[in-house]
Amino acid sequence: MARPFDAVVVGAGINGMVAAAELAQAGWRVALVERNHEIGGFIATEERTEPGFLHDTYSSWHSQFVSGGAYAVLGAELHACGLEYANTEDKVCATVSDDGEVTLAYRSPRKTAAQFRHPADARAYRAAIQRVVDNGGAIGALMSSELRTLTSAQVQLMMLRSNGLAGSEQWARDLVTSGRSWCRREFEGMEVERLWVPWLLHVGLSPDHASGGFFIPLFASSLHGSGVPVVVGGAGNFVQAFRELLESLGVVVMTGVTVDHVVLEDGAAVGVSTVADGTVHATSILASVTPTALYGELLPEDPASPRVADQAARFRYGRGAMQMHVALRAPLAWRDERLTTTPIVHLSDGGASTGIACAEAEAGLLPGRPTVVVGRQEVLDPSRVPPGKGALWIQLNETPFQPMGDALGELDVSAGWTKDLAKRYAYRVLDRLAPHVHDLKQSVLKIDVITPVGLNEYNVNAAYGDPYGGDSQLDQNFVWRPLAAANSHQTAVPNLWHIGASTHPGAGLGGASGHMVAQRLIASSDASNRVRETPSRARRAMSLVVRGRR
C-alpha cells in the first residue's frame, strides 16, 4: 500500500527515534519502521530476574544524551512526556584493581586529582580536562557534523588559531596515540590509567588502539560535567516518553515490520519495501543500519560503485559483548565503603589486565580475567529494586561471538554459547567480583545472561555481538566511518541517508547521527513547496496536559 511521507526512517534505535522526532517537530510527515515489536533498540527495561527488579536490559547511562544536540532540541518535550533523570553530584565512577586498590572519580576534576600520589599528575590531569573544556565547542562541532565539508574545515581552522601550531599538533598526536600510551606518557602514577582506560571499551576500543589518547580526556570531561544520569523507573520510560512524543507529533510508528529493500526510481530512493506492509513511499529515506545491511541487502548492486560494495563487504565488526543482570537479597556490600554510593565500578588493573582480556577476546578466547563493569542504578534511583534488595547491571565488552577456546582451559566451548557455558562464564565473572565485596554468593537470588549471540538476535545491527556498530579503530572512524568510499551520511543514492552507530560519530546514546541528518534535511527543505499537516505546538501541549504530564 502506497503511503506518501516526507521521510521514512528505518530502525527505531536512539538515532532513528531522534531523527523521526526532530523531522516531525519541524512539520515533516514521518514514518518510523522497526522490525522489533517495540521501539528503542538497545534501550529497554525488564524484570529479567525476580519480580520488582527493574533491569535496564542493555544500555543505561545517559551522559551522552543529556550533553548532546538532540537533547537540546527534544529534551523539554521529552520531559513533558514524563522523562525524568536521577544523577550523582559526587562520586561518578571508580576502578578496583585485583589487589583491592580503589581509584575514584568525582564530578569535580579537582577533587578527583587530589587523590593522585604525584602532585605533577594532579596538575597534568586538571590541565587535560581544561584543554577539553576550552576546545569543547569546536570538538562538539566536529563530532556532530560531516567531517569533509567547508564547515568542518572552518572549525579545524578555528582550533588551529586558538591552539596554535604546537597545541594543534598535540591534538593530532593524541589522536594517533593509544589510551595506555597516552596515560603513561602524560602521568607518572597509575590513577588516570586505572580510572579511564577501561572506559575505552565502551566505544569498542582496547587500551592499545590508536585514538584512545583523544577519547580518554573526552570521556573524563564528559563524566565530570554531565555525571551518569539514569532514567527514573528504568530506561524503558525513556522509550515510553519518545513514543508519546512521536505520537503527539503525528509520526506513524510501524513496529514488527521488516524492510526488504530500498525502492529506487531512476536511480533515486523513493521509498522502502516491507515484507508485510508493501511499499512505503517517501521523499527522503534514513536508514539506521550497518553498511553491510545497507549495501549488501537493502540496495541492489547498481547504485553502489564496486569500491563501495567491496568496502561494505569488508566492513569490520569489533568484539562481542555480554550483559548480566543479578538480583541480590541485599544491597552490594563493598569492602571499601566509599564504593557504596558509586554508581559505576570497573574491575581492572588498567591497561594491563584490560589489554590482556581484549587480546584474548580478539583471539576468540574467553578471557581469564575479564574487565567487569559493575553498574548499580539503584544507588541513584531506589525505585529499581524492592526495599532492602540490591541488583547488579554487569557489562562485559571483551566477549567473543564464537568462542574458540578458554584462556584458563576450564570451560568447554565446543558447542558455542549454550546456556551452560553462559552460566559458567557468569560465575567466573562473579568470582572476579567476590573478593571485593562481602558475602556475594550468599546474596545472589537470580542471574540473567545475554550472550553476544543473544544481542545479535535481538538487534541485527549488533552484528557478531558487537553493540557499537562496527570496529572503531582509527582507520574505520572519523573521516573513514563507515567507509573510506562512503564517509558521509548522505549516500551516493539520491534521497538516501545513512545514520546509526556505524556512521560518524559512532556508537553511544547521544543520537548524534540522527540529529545531524534531521537538522540538515530541515535546513535544506523548501517549506513553501511542501504541504504539511503540522500539529500546532498549542494542540500538542494541550494533549500533554490532558494526559497529566504538566
Side-chain angles (χ1 to χ4, degrees), residues 6-11 16 19 23 28 146 149 262 264 268-272 282-290 294-295 298-299 482 486-500 503 513-525 530:
D6 296 321
V8 58
V9 181
V10 180
L23 289 170
W28 289 47
E146 304 290 359
T149 61
V262 175
L264 303 178
V270 296
V272 297
T283 305
S284 297
I285 315 299
L286 287 71
S288 185
V289 299
T290 65
L294 181 61
Y295 295 105
L298 299 185
L299 280 174
N487 50 34
S488 170
H489 294 92
Q490 187 172 13
T491 72
V493 178
N495 309 329
L496 177 62
W497 299 76
H498 192 188
I499 63 174
T503 69
S513 63
H515 167 71
M516 191 188 315
V517 170
Q519 292 304 310
R520 283 189 64 184
L521 287 170
I522 292 167
S524 64
S525 65
R530 192 179 298 278

Side-chain angles (χ1 to χ4, degrees), residues 113-412:
Q115 68 185 316
F116 297 170
R117 289 188 176 91
H118 302 282
D121 285 355
R123 292 191 295 271
Y125 184 78
R126 294 195 300 269
I129 301 301
Q130 188 60 49
R131 185 163 162 261
V132 173
V133 171
D134 292 343
N135 289 271
I139 294 172
L142 290 173
M143 297 297 281
S144 60
S145 64
E146 304 290 359
L147 292 178
R148 294 189 179 183
T149 61
L150 178 60
T151 299
S152 175
Q154 291 171 335
V155 172
Q156 293 175 59
L157 181 60
M158 180 180 69
M159 286 189 71
L160 177 60
R161 288 173 175 169
S162 62
N163 287 276
L165 185 59
S168 299
E169 185 177 317
Q170 184 179 352
W171 280 113
R173 187 185 185 195
D174 291 347
L175 190 62
V176 299
T177 301
S178 73
R180 188 207 304 251
S181 295
W182 183 82
C183 290
R184 297 189 179 183
R185 186 186 76 203
E186 300 291 329
F187 305 100
E188 186 174 348
M190 289 292 294
E191 292 93 347
V192 175
E193 180 177 330
R194 285 174 178 161
L195 264 179
W196 300 115
V197 160
W199 281 91
L200 294 172
L201 302 181
H202 298 275
V203 289
L205 295 175
S206 83
D208 298 306
H209 286 157
S211 73
F214 172 79
F215 278 113
I216 283 179
L218 261 62
F219 289 147
S221 179
S222 174
L223 292 174
H224 287 311
S226 300
V228 283
V230 296
V231 180
V232 173
N237 287 341
F238 179 83
V239 177
Q240 179 57 38
F242 251 108
R243 179 177 278 281
E244 187 167 325
L245 176 59
L246 293 168
E247 290 176 354
S248 74
L249 292 167
V251 175
V252 176
V253 179
M254 304 166 63
T255 56
V257 175
T258 299
V259 171
D260 182 60
H261 63 271
V262 175
V263 179
L264 303 178
E265 287 184 7
D266 298 324
V270 296
V272 297
S273 173
T274 65
V275 173
D277 232 24
T279 299
V280 183
H281 292 281
T283 305
S284 297
I285 315 299
L286 287 71
S288 185
V289 299
T290 65
T292 309
L294 181 61
Y295 295 105
E297 300 172 16
L298 299 185
L299 280 174
E301 292 183 6
D302 291 342
S305 70
R307 185 178 175 218
V308 171
D310 179 66
Q311 289 185 7
R314 295 171 181 269
F315 184 76
R316 298 193 315 272
Y317 293 93
R319 298 180 303 272
M322 182 169 161
Q323 204 79 28
M324 287 174 53
H325 301 289
V326 185
L328 301 175
R329 289 185 172 84
L332 193 68
W334 290 100
R335 294 188 182 278
D336 189 318
E337 294 184 357
R338 293 175 297 170
L339 299 176
T340 301
T341 55
T342 304
I344 303 176
V345 178
H346 287 88
L347 305 183
S348 169
D349 286 340
S353 66
T354 294
I356 292 170
C358 285
E360 290 172 341
E362 288 165 11
L365 302 178
L366 296 178
R369 290 193 302 152
T371 303
V372 182
V373 189
V374 182
R376 297 175 59 234
Q377 290 82 357
E378 77 271 16
V379 168
L380 305 177
D381 175 20
S383 71
R384 301 295 192 95
V385 298
K389 306 297 183 182
L392 302 178
W393 176 95
I394 291 177
Q395 195 172 65
L396 306 160
N397 288 310
E398 306 144 333
T399 314
F401 181 71
Q402 293 178 321
M404 306 299 293
D406 175 27
L408 297 184
E410 298 173 347
L411 303 179
D412 180 7

Side-chain angles (χ1 to χ4, degrees), residues 76-126:
E77 296 209 45
L78 287 170
H79 285 294
C81 291
L83 176 63
E84 182 182 355
Y85 282 116
N87 203 351
T88 176
E89 295 302 325
D90 188 32
K91 301 184 190 75
V92 174
C93 63
T95 298
V96 182
S97 61
D98 281 351
D99 62 7
E101 184 170 354
V102 172
T103 310
L104 287 156
Y106 300 86
R107 289 294 296 270
S108 165
R110 184 170 294 276
K111 187 175 180 179
T112 300
Q115 68 185 316
F116 297 170
R117 289 188 176 91
H118 302 282
D121 285 355
R123 292 191 295 271
Y125 184 78
R126 294 195 300 269

